Amino acid sequence: MKIAEIEVGEIFVPLVTPFKTALRTVEAIEDIVVKITADTGETGYGEAPPTAVITGDTKGSILCAIRDYIRPALLGMEIENIDGIMQKLHSCIQKNSSAKACVDMAVYDLFGKRYGAPLYRLLGGYRRELETDLTISVNPVDEMVRDSLAAVKRGFRILKIKVGKEGEKDIARIAAIRDAVGKDVKIRVDANQGWTAKEAVRILSVMEREGLAIELCEQPVKAHDIDGLRAVTKAVSTPILADESVFSAGDALEILRTHAADLINIKLMKTGGIYNALKICAIAETYGVECMMGCMLESKLAVSAAAHLAAAKGIITRADLDGPSLCKTDPFEGGPDFLENRIVMNDLPGIGIQTVPSFKSGGSLPPFEK
């Protein structure tokens, strides 16, 4: 099975409510999608969100990377030669991790179809079902409480609360949500780099003293502030999850070697896809450190690829794969079953996505263009 063509398009999926973090506000998913066609006629699909504030990738840069660099490098290659494909993918252009992830997942989709098996089985096959949290955006406290109660009513037992915009006011947010949802719901907090190290220690220490039972705190400080991250990890009892600080396997190795965090958040858009994410899993296994499988603001297509990796590997013990639950519509056919807090894998080969429409607000585009 050889790569015969690589084409790109765009999808538009409105969100139920605006997605708000310490870094940005988004009202719809507007992502680049890729279709790789093999010489057998089989197709593989991938997706890349333009998350410029985190990855540095924009729609324009993703399109340029795929059309002008990745496509020429990969055409004609055998899908079975995963190592060779990935070496070319990661050497033909530097950075551009979202564009690489988009193509990587489409390659792995075809790899699964080549062998007639769901991808999670080929990558490890550890479990068939996952439990995901649901993200609660940064808003006034009353609104965040309402959103949290609505999530619990939908069946979510784990909430990821966005904080980091107003310092110590975040304590009141979490206290109000904990009081509203009770003790049986797990609460994760995600500061998205919004605190300084001193703020993080002060805020998390108060949350601990008040018995708010925070399961973990994600990326409390700036991505580059590894010393600050290590200081927070050392100073508080709450487990610290490194997210934006870990893009590559080298980043993960440095974080774990220096004990700068307790947990690692793997996202395909940071690693450049499944291939490099597997390297982080291997490093985490070596250190005995558990991982979370996360996502950017992605639709069912990219989140399905992440779900396959999370289902495959035992070292991935937590999932933050709520992208489809934040969307108003599901324009795709196939893929894992996203049942509110449960993600159930099935026997469809590859990633399992069977059709990928390409839409844009105000009218449709041709499905794919070269």
Side-chain angles (χ1 to χ4, degrees):
M1 180 186 282
K2 292 183 178 181
I3 297 174
E5 187 53 274
I6 300 175
E7 301 165 280
V8 292
E10 184 177 353
I11 55 171
F12 178 91
V13 185
L15 300 177
V16 175
T17 59
F19 181 81
K20 299 179 182 179
T21 75
L23 296 174
R24 59 184 180 140
T25 297
V26 182
E27 295 187 354
I29 290 174
E30 298 182 69
D31 290 357
I32 301 301
V33 288
V34 70
K35 178 172 74 173
I36 299 181
T37 304
D39 58 354
T40 60
E42 291 277 13
T43 54
Y45 297 104
E47 174 188 356
T51 318
V53 294
I54 297 174
T55 63
D57 299 324
T58 66
K59 284 185 184 180
S61 70
I62 293 167
L63 289 169
C64 176
I66 294 172
R67 287 170 169 162
D68 297 345
Y69 295 89
I70 296 172
R71 178 180 176 274
L74 301 190
L75 286 179
M77 295 195 73
E78 295 277 358
I79 285 295
E80 297 90 336
N81 184 11
I82 289 289
D83 262 20
I85 288 174
M86 295 305 162
Q87 286 173 16
K88 283 201 172 183
L89 173 66
H90 291 284
S91 64
C92 71
I93 186 171
Q94 294 300 304
K95 308 295 184 181
N96 290 278
S97 59
S98 300
K100 291 175 180 179
C102 184
V103 173
D104 168 290
M105 68 180 70
V107 168
Y108 273 103
D109 191 15
L110 278 173
F111 184 74
K113 290 173 180 176
R114 165 66 179 82
Y115 293 103
L119 185 59
Y120 81 96
R121 287 188 183 168
L122 297 177
L123 297 179
Y126 186 79
R127 59 177 73 84
R128 189 178 175 88
E129 185 171 326
L130 305 164
E131 181 176 12
T132 181
D133 58 23
L134 187 73
T135 300
I136 306 299
S137 290
V138 176
N139 281 303
V141 175
D142 289 349
E143 187 174 347
M144 293 180 75
V145 167
R146 288 196 302 272
D147 290 344
S148 298
L149 290 171
V152 172
K153 188 175 181 180
R154 289 171 61 183
F156 288 93
R157 301 185 299 176
I158 310 170
L159 304 179
K160 187 170 88 164
I161 314 299
K162 292 292 188 180
V163 293
K165 289 188 76 172
E166 296 182 283
E168 295 190 14
K169 289 184 180 179
D170 289 328
I171 299 170
R173 284 188 168 88
I174 302 302
I177 291 169
R178 171 58 74 199
D179 184 61
V181 301
K183 295 181 179 180
D184 294 334
V185 175
K186 291 183 180 179
I187 290 179
R188 300 165 178 168
V189 298
D190 183 3
N192 282 116
Q193 311 177 63
W195 297 329
T196 65
K198 287 185 176 180
E199 278 183 316
V201 171
R202 187 164 60 248
I203 291 167
L204 291 172
S205 295
V206 172
M207 289 183 183
E208 290 171 1
R209 287 197 301 271
E210 293 188 2
L212 299 183
I214 305 305
E215 184 198 12
L216 59 85
C217 176
E218 183 174 346
Q219 197 63 44
V221 300
K222 296 293 184 185
H224 65 268
D225 187 10
I226 306 303
D227 289 339
L229 187 65
R230 185 182 305 110
V232 176
T233 300
K234 185 177 180 179
V236 301
S237 299
T238 303
I240 301 301
L241 174 71
D243 180 12
E244 290 94 336
S245 292
V246 180
F247 273 61
S248 68
D251 294 337
L253 182 60
E254 184 64 13
I255 290 288
L256 299 183
R257 185 186 68 80
T258 60
H259 305 287
D262 300 297
L263 305 161
I264 298 293
N265 193 0
I266 300 172
K267 293 179 180 176
L268 299 183
M269 298 305 145
K270 295 186 301 172
T271 64
I274 293 168
Y275 187 76
N276 282 341
L278 288 168
K279 295 179 183 179
I280 294 178
C281 288
I283 291 168
E285 287 168 349
T286 302
Y287 278 87
V289 171
E290 296 175 2
C291 297
M292 174 187 283
M293 191 73 227
C295 60
M296 302 297 187
L297 193 53
E298 301 160 12
S299 76
K300 183 180 177 181
L301 172 52
V303 177
S304 292
H308 275 275
L309 178 59
K313 308 304 292 184
I315 199 66
I316 299 176
T317 58
R318 296 166 175 84
D320 173 30
L321 298 176
D322 59 351
S325 298
L326 302 174
C327 295
K328 276 186 180 179
T329 60
D330 175 11
F332 306 98
E333 292 182 13
D337 296 315
F338 288 84
L339 308 171
E340 298 292 21
N341 68 315
R342 296 169 56 230
I343 303 172
V344 181
M345 313 308 290
N346 54 44
D347 294 327
L348 293 171
I351 293 171
I353 297 292
Q354 297 170 313
T355 60
V356 179
S358 183
F359 295 116
K360 189 172 183 179
S361 181
S364 62
L365 292 170
F368 290 92
E369 53 182 5
K370 299 176 184 177

